[in-house]
């Protein structure tokens, strides 16, 4: 029997990219490829790139160059770029980075096995010419679903034909029915992201994402449920719903309130202990959605709100809505229903035309918002965006100074917010157990990678994937220190049966 072709996927960027990588992994394994973790042990290294901001693009290029070095020292014979940067730049990236043996766009995903085999065999697959993917679907959201079958939507997965689980490699979807996506998990984490939708209809002046991710289109609720059931069968305890804008979910399916009805169904899936929703637009928050997020068992009262700024003049220039007082009213409404709710957000400082008064207004908001996690970015021009054409640009030195100032403030404020949680009882999902480093997990107000974690003291006997009640006894910056309340880390269901 000939040796199986091996492939490794290196993923950069956001949780949406992680879902896309697992879809590619599922496609490849179903076609006979062997997945390996270490790129040095793979015939082909596939780098799933990020194309959001300059720093992310630099990281993507560095990862491609590092993978290329393996061709001299390891088994690797080819390095292929996929993902947002590859889609956004296509031929331009291929010409600027000859070290990459292939640059594949989203339209290549359905033939990923064939494309890699061609490249591995020494052939050439021409990089695509980038196009505005917003033009691939109708302008009217309600007309998009009929056209969606003709457009590649990464992370939505292909429709799998009727067949039993035994017809596919072990651990490869669909384990829950023919509508599950073809997906292979790339790690054993008890947390997994689920793609709720793709694309974005908003036109923020600083953002290029809609041009290469396309218009907003929702996945059907049944597909999301089937994928969640399959993930639960794989041992996943927490799912995080991701898209460019989750508050728009369902508008193209004729029901903008569809998320409110879907969340309880997801929370009811056997084995799922927590459902988390990310990427929420403040201007689109509805009373009904706030109610579901703050009152549904197993749905985390977690609000990843994309504020970006709070000075009204800057927000208008960003093509966004709101101001400090309206944002604070929204937070007051949320905390009036769930005082323990977690809130995080990102902010851009140094936007063209941002005045000292605008910066002071942002500081006023931050000082009153009591956010659990804050990401701060300095403005830089993004090719193809409206803001790149604006006048009144601030100097790089001024942007850097404001970034440093707001970052210091943010670090102080999130540490203060963590201290406010001392004495609270949290449900902590155990994510890592190490004899030397200790036992770490996350509470409902902490999303993976971005929002800090919880160190569990006296964590003997805890396993990864366990949900434990713990009392916060201290802080380490944004991180919390908590003590389990029950010997052996009983789950909520086990506690009820005592």
């Amino acid at each position: 029997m000939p040796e199986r072709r091996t492939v490794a996927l290196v993923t950069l960027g956001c949780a949406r990219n992680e879902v896309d990588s697992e879809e590619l992994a599922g496609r490849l394994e179903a076609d006979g490829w062997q997945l390996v973790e270490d790129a040095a042990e793979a015939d082909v290294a596939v780098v799933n790139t990020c194309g959001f901001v300059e720093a992310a693009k630099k990281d993507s290029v560095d990862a491609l160059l590092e993978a290329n070095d393996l061709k001299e020292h390891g088994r690797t014979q080819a390095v292929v770029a996929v993902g947002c940067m590859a889609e956004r730049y296509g031929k331009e990236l291929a010409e600027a980075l000859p070290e990459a043996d292939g640059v594949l766009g989203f339209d290549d995903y359905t033939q990923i096995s064939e494309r890699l085999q061609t490249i591995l065999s020494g052939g050439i697959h021409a990089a695509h010419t980038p196009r505005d993917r917003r033009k691939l679907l109708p302008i009217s959201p309600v007309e998009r679903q009929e056209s969606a079958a003709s457009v590649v939507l990464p992370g939505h997965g292909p429709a799998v034909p009727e067949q039993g689980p035994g017809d596919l490699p072990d651990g490869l979807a669909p384990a829950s029915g023919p509508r599950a996506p073809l997906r292979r998990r790339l790690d054993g984490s008890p947390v997994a992201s689920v793609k709720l939708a793709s694309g974005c209809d908003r036109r923020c002046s600083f953002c290029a994402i809609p041009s290469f991710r396309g218009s907003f289109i929702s996945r059907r609720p049944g597909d999301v449920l089937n994928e969640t059931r399959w993930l639960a069968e794989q041992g996943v305890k927490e799912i995080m719903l991701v898209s460019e804008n989750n508050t728009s979910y369902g508008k193209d399916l004729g029901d903008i309130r569809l998320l409110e009805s879907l969340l309880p169904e997801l929370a009811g899936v056997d084995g799922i202990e927590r459902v988390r929703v990310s990427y929420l637009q403040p201007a689109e928050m509805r009373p009904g959605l706030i109610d579901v997020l703050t009152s549904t068992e197993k749905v985390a009262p977690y609000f990843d709100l994309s504020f970006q700024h709070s000075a009204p003049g800057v927000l208008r220039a960003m093509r966004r809505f709101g101001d400090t007082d309206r944002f604070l009213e929204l937070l007051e409404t949320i905390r009036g229903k769930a005082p323990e709710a977690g809130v995080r957000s990102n902010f851009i400082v140094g936007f063209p035309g941002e005045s000292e008064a605008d910066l002071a207004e942002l500081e006023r908001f931050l000082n009153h918002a009591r956010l659990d996690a804050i990401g701060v970015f300095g403005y830089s021009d993004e090719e193809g965006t409206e803001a790149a054409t604006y006048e009144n640009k601030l100097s790089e030195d001024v942007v850097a100074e404001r970034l440093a100032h707001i970052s210091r403030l943010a670090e102080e404020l999130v540490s203060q917010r963590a201290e406010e949680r001392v004495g609270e009882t949290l449900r902590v999902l155990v994510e890592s157990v190490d004899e030397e480093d200790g036992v770490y997990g996350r509470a409902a107000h902490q999303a993976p990678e971005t929002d800090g974690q919880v160190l569990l003291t006296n964590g003997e006997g805890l396993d990864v994937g366990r949900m434990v009640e713990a009392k916060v006894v201290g802080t380490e910056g944004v991180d919390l220190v908590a003590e389990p309340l029950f010997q052996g880390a009983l789950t909520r269901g086990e506690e009820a049966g005592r």
Side-chain angles (χ1 to χ4, degrees):
M1 179 180 293
E3 186 177 5
R4 293 181 69 186
R5 304 159 294 177
T6 56
V7 59
L9 288 111
V10 180
T11 306
L12 293 90
C14 64
R16 300 184 294 272
N17 257 16
E18 294 172 6
V19 177
D20 295 350
S21 285
E22 292 195 350
E23 179 198 326
L24 292 176
R27 291 179 182 274
L28 288 166
E29 188 170 57
D31 202 44
W33 290 77
Q34 180 180 348
L35 300 170
V36 296
E37 293 185 12
D38 187 353
E41 302 299 322
D43 297 319
V44 184
V46 177
V47 180
N48 192 348
T49 61
C50 179
F52 181 38
V53 293
E54 284 302 319
K57 287 183 278 189
K58 181 181 183 303
D59 288 344
S60 295
V61 170
D62 289 345
L64 287 164
L65 292 174
E66 289 176 11
N68 183 67
D69 289 342
L70 298 176
K71 289 192 287 189
E72 295 183 10
H73 309 293
R75 171 173 174 165
T76 309
Q77 301 174 50
V79 175
V80 176
V82 299
C84 291
M85 190 176 181
E87 172 64 33
R88 184 177 181 182
Y89 295 104
K91 289 183 178 180
E92 182 181 344
L93 177 62
E95 293 170 358
L97 198 68
E99 291 86 352
D101 299 286
V103 175
L104 305 182
F106 296 154
D107 291 335
D108 293 306
Y109 281 20
T110 55
Q111 291 88 37
I112 185 68
S113 177
E114 178 185 335
R115 299 288 188 263
L116 295 191
Q117 186 58 58
T118 296
I119 294 168
L120 187 59
S121 301
I124 297 175
H125 179 72
H128 71 290
T129 299
R131 54 180 173 169
D132 189 339
R133 295 188 73 86
R134 290 172 293 191
K135 298 178 180 179
L136 302 182
L137 293 169
I139 294 177
S140 171
V142 296
E143 297 177 2
R144 291 176 188 163
Q145 289 290 330
E146 293 183 2
S147 305
S150 62
V151 177
V152 175
L153 300 170
H156 284 228
V160 180
E162 295 278 358
Q163 54 188 330
D167 297 322
L168 291 172
D170 181 46
L172 186 65
S176 304
R179 290 296 297 168
L182 202 58
R183 176 176 179 175
R184 158 64 81 174
R185 297 217 65 207
L186 293 175
D187 62 41
S189 169
V191 184
S193 296
V194 175
K195 187 75 73 73
L196 194 63
S198 284
C200 185
D201 289 340
R202 300 184 71 86
R203 294 296 179 262
C204 301
S205 62
F206 56 83
C207 183
I209 288 176
S211 65
F212 56 84
R213 276 288 184 179
S215 298
F216 184 89
I217 186 162
S218 306
R219 292 181 67 196
R220 295 192 176 276
D223 292 349
V224 178
L225 272 166
N226 276 343
E227 183 171 358
T228 299
R229 293 186 185 109
W230 176 77
L231 288 168
E233 293 172 1
Q234 302 298 305
V236 169
K237 299 300 181 183
E238 176 182 324
I239 62 164
M240 183 167 72
L241 300 178
V242 299
S243 75
E244 279 73 21
N245 177 11
N246 280 332
T247 34
S248 284
Y249 180 69
K251 71 176 185 179
D252 52 322
L253 295 170
D255 185 0
I256 191 61
R257 294 177 297 277
L258 196 55
L259 184 55
E260 285 95 304
S261 59
L262 177 60
L263 283 172
E265 293 188 72
L266 294 171
V269 171
D270 287 344
I272 295 298
E273 293 287 341
R274 180 183 290 152
V275 178
R276 183 184 304 278
V277 184
S278 61
Y279 305 111
L280 301 170
Q281 289 292 338
E284 297 180 26
M285 290 300 296
R286 306 175 290 277
L289 180 56
I290 295 174
D291 287 343
V292 171
L293 287 170
T294 55
S295 65
T296 307
E297 185 177 5
K298 293 188 178 181
V299 173
Y302 175 80
F303 294 81
D304 176 11
L305 294 164
S306 178
F307 289 123
Q308 301 300 345
H309 211 284
S310 73
V314 175
L315 287 167
R316 301 304 174 268
M318 290 179 169
R319 303 296 182 200
R320 298 179 65 82
F321 306 95
D323 55 46
T324 295
D325 292 333
R326 274 189 276 184
F327 290 163
L328 291 176
E329 287 174 6
L330 172 59
L331 295 179
E332 184 179 0
T333 298
I334 291 169
R335 291 179 175 131
K337 295 178 180 294
E340 78 285 2
V343 186
R344 77 156 343 265
S345 192
N346 293 324
F347 299 89
I348 299 173
V349 296
F351 196 78
E354 180 190 63
S355 66
E356 292 284 355
D358 293 328
L359 193 69
E361 184 68 1
L362 175 58
E363 288 189 54
R364 181 170 81 89
F365 172 69
L366 292 173
N367 278 306
H368 288 86
R370 296 171 56 231
L371 302 179
D372 291 278
I374 301 171
V376 187
F377 301 89
Y379 173 80
S380 62
D381 285 340
E382 273 298 308
E383 180 184 354
T385 63
E386 180 184 357
T389 69
Y390 285 177
E391 299 179 352
N392 300 320
K393 300 273 179 65
L394 304 183
S395 71
E396 291 185 5
D397 288 343
V398 170
V399 173
E401 180 182 340
R402 294 185 179 185
L403 173 61
H405 173 64
I406 297 299
S407 295
R408 287 193 298 269
L409 175 63
E411 184 176 356
E412 178 182 345
L413 291 173
V414 295
S415 295
Q416 291 176 6
R417 177 63 181 133
E419 291 172 1
E420 291 178 16
R421 292 193 179 274
V422 173
E424 284 188 13
T425 297
L426 310 174
R427 296 191 76 216
V428 180
L429 177 63
V430 178
E431 292 190 324
S432 67
V433 177
D434 186 274
E435 290 185 3
E436 294 184 4
D437 296 333
V439 179
Y440 284 89
R442 286 179 305 100
H445 70 280
Q446 298 168 316
E449 306 295 336
T450 59
D451 299 347
Q453 56 188 348
V454 179
L455 169 62
L456 290 166
T457 63
N458 302 320
E460 296 83 0
L462 292 176
D463 297 319
V464 170
R466 295 296 297 274
M467 189 72 77
V468 57
E469 301 276 353
K471 183 177 181 179
V472 181
V473 296
T475 66
E476 296 178 357
V478 70
D479 297 329
L480 303 178
V481 180
E483 184 174 324
L485 295 180
F486 299 96
Q487 185 66 32
L490 300 178
T491 66
R492 179 171 292 180
E494 291 170 328
E495 292 158 20
R498 283 178 56 128

